Amino acid sequence: MSKLWNITYSKAWGANFLLYFSFMLITPLFPVYLNEKFGASKDTIGLVLAGYSIMAIAARFVSGHLADTLPRIKVLVCAYLLFVACSGAYLVAGSLILFGIVRTLHGAPFGAITVANSTVAFDSLPYSRRAEGIGYYGLSNNIAMALSPAVGIWLFSLWPSYELLMWAAVATAIVGCTLTASMRLPRRVRPLPKKAFSFKTMVLWKGWSPGLCSLSYAVAYGIVSTYVALYGIEELGHRNAAGVFFFCFSVGLVISRLIGGRGLRQGKIVTNGAIGVVTGSAGYLLFALVPTVWSLYLASLIIGLGCGHMFPALQNIFISMARKDQRGTATSTLLVSWDIGVGIGTLVGGFLSNSAGFAAAFLFAAASKVIGSVFFFLHTRHDYYRKRLT
């Protein structure tokens, strides 16, 4: 059997993990930080934190094109250096306006790295193990997005200093940048033809159906992940509830990837996706309808189980629809749809929680997840069978 964990794939996996770990280390505490330091209301917090999504979307559109036409290692290293600089800029953002500017700018290198690094990882995989490898690669950011907030909240409970967490995020980003710079990518045997830079080439339009699914799932995730810390403090009276939430979420992710890896090796992409969207919907409904601490933790475990099956399936669906010279574009399209959803979720969640309460915001999240799941069964899975390339 062809080797899956080759040196390039392993370094790309590690760099992606460190990227998300750095980014998410303090993100769940930002709503609390903005409220305590600047007295920002929930709807203002949503507006400030959603800025990164706008910049990440723009960067991913461009970086998908660049990843398919320019040397990817140069794109990666330059973007990672900018990411390190933005991570450190939070330390000197002394006003709400400056914080919003830094947060918005932070989205650009984050978006560029995720696209270029994913493309490097996919290209390093042997064809016979590509579906499995894409699934494990998705696990790098899934675990980081779940584990990092739990670590950050735990550290904050020991040493209540936002600045300490910001420095930890900078240090993690530096390690990731160093790992990225150590990658040695082979030259392409034949240069790919130059593509005209246009909106048409920046989007994998045939992937609109899984893109809509991704967007709807991201709306739910954006609401819950952004406001769970405030919800735990204000509604449940538990300051560390968010830390346990993300820990349980990461446990669910790991379990689902261990279970789902065999299915991906066998090419059961739609089956994995179906299990993921149904399980995830159940978790979000439990979270929204039963407002207790223990249901919060159980829901997070179930959501993690669903996400661990669903996200690798979506990645495989996008890559299967793209030609070899469109892999960067396919990756950017998936991530752009996710960013749009997270941005919408952050804004809507802030507005609803401020005007109608957390219950309304979380019900909206559950409804978005369920609607996306229904669409997956009615259209997306059939669209995949029609459009996948051999």
Side-chain angles (χ1 to χ4, degrees):
M1 183 178 289
S2 301
K3 186 177 181 180
L4 174 63
W5 292 93
N6 57 70
I7 188 65
T8 302
Y9 178 80
S10 299
K11 286 184 175 181
W13 197 101
N16 193 59
F17 174 85
L18 292 168
L19 173 78
Y20 278 88
F21 194 93
S22 172
F23 192 77
M24 293 297 296
L25 191 62
I26 193 173
T27 293
L29 285 173
F30 272 152
V32 183
Y33 172 72
L34 295 177
N35 179 261
E36 292 180 356
K37 187 175 180 64
F38 304 116
S41 62
K42 295 184 184 70
D43 50 352
T44 301
I45 290 171
L47 185 62
V48 171
L49 295 182
Y52 106 89
S53 296
I54 299 172
M55 190 61 73
I57 290 166
R60 280 171 172 165
F61 275 131
V62 176
S63 58
H65 178 85
L66 296 179
D68 287 335
T69 56
L70 296 178
R72 287 169 186 151
I73 191 63
K74 293 183 179 179
V75 176
L76 265 174
V77 173
C78 290
Y80 230 125
L81 288 172
L82 288 173
F83 181 82
V84 172
C86 289
S87 299
Y90 290 114
L91 290 160
V92 295
S95 69
L96 187 61
I97 293 176
L98 282 176
F99 182 94
I101 292 173
V102 172
R103 181 64 176 175
T104 300
L105 293 176
H106 203 179
F110 179 79
I113 296 167
T114 51
V115 172
N117 197 63
S118 297
T119 310
V120 167
F122 299 159
D123 281 350
S124 69
L125 291 168
Y127 180 79
S128 61
R129 307 194 69 181
R130 181 164 295 158
E132 180 187 9
I134 291 173
Y136 283 122
Y137 181 81
L139 188 60
S140 64
N141 52 273
N142 289 157
I143 293 178
M145 289 171 68
L147 185 61
S148 179
V151 172
I153 293 170
W154 174 72
L155 287 175
F156 189 80
S157 69
L158 297 177
W159 299 283
S161 169
Y162 294 107
E163 288 74 18
L164 177 64
L165 285 181
M166 291 174 186
W167 277 115
V170 172
T172 305
I174 291 174
V175 175
C177 185
T178 303
L179 185 61
T180 297
S182 71
M183 285 195 288
R184 296 293 179 265
L185 306 183
R187 290 181 178 272
R188 298 176 186 178
V189 178
R190 289 180 295 178
L192 294 174
K194 292 284 185 179
K195 295 181 180 179
F197 189 76
S198 68
F199 189 63
K200 183 178 180 180
T201 62
M202 290 190 294
V203 178
L204 186 71
W205 291 103
K206 65 193 302 186
W208 69 268
S209 176
L212 283 180
C213 286
S214 174
L215 187 149
S216 68
Y217 305 151
V219 168
Y221 182 80
I223 294 174
V224 170
S225 64
T226 302
Y227 298 102
V228 66
L230 275 178
Y231 172 67
I233 294 171
E234 296 184 5
E235 298 291 327
L236 302 180
H238 288 261
R239 191 172 185 86
N240 296 324
V244 181
F245 174 90
F246 284 107
F247 174 77
C248 295
F249 183 62
S250 65
V251 171
L253 283 171
V254 173
I255 293 173
S256 64
R257 286 307 329 118
L258 294 175
I259 296 173
R262 182 178 180 181
L264 290 175
R265 284 196 299 271
Q266 297 172 347
K268 297 179 180 179
I269 295 172
V270 170
T271 301
N272 270 262
I275 294 172
V277 299
V278 171
T279 305
S281 295
Y284 280 105
L285 286 169
L286 176 62
F287 185 94
L289 298 176
V290 187
T292 65
V293 174
W294 291 108
S295 62
L296 175 79
Y297 300 154
L298 178 59
S300 66
L301 177 65
I302 296 173
I303 292 170
L305 288 169
C307 190
H309 277 91
M310 174 272 296
F311 203 83
L314 285 179
Q315 286 181 304
N316 273 284
I317 288 173
F318 268 95
I319 295 298
S320 298
M321 290 181 174
R323 302 189 308 267
K324 183 176 181 179
D325 64 314
Q326 291 180 313
R327 289 176 189 163
T329 303
T331 303
S332 69
T333 304
L334 168 62
L335 296 176
V336 162
S337 65
W338 185 265
D339 279 338
I340 293 174
V342 169
I344 293 172
T346 303
L347 286 171
V348 173
F351 173 77
L352 288 177
S353 60
N354 193 62
S355 60
F358 286 109
F362 296 146
L363 279 172
F364 186 90
S368 179
K369 178 68 177 183
V370 171
I371 291 171
S373 300
V374 172
F375 184 74
F376 177 87
F377 283 101
L378 294 181
H379 190 276
T380 301
R381 63 191 182 112
H382 304 296
D383 199 45
Y384 161 70
Y385 287 127
R386 287 194 301 267
K387 295 179 180 177
R388 61 180 176 175
L389 302 178
T390 304

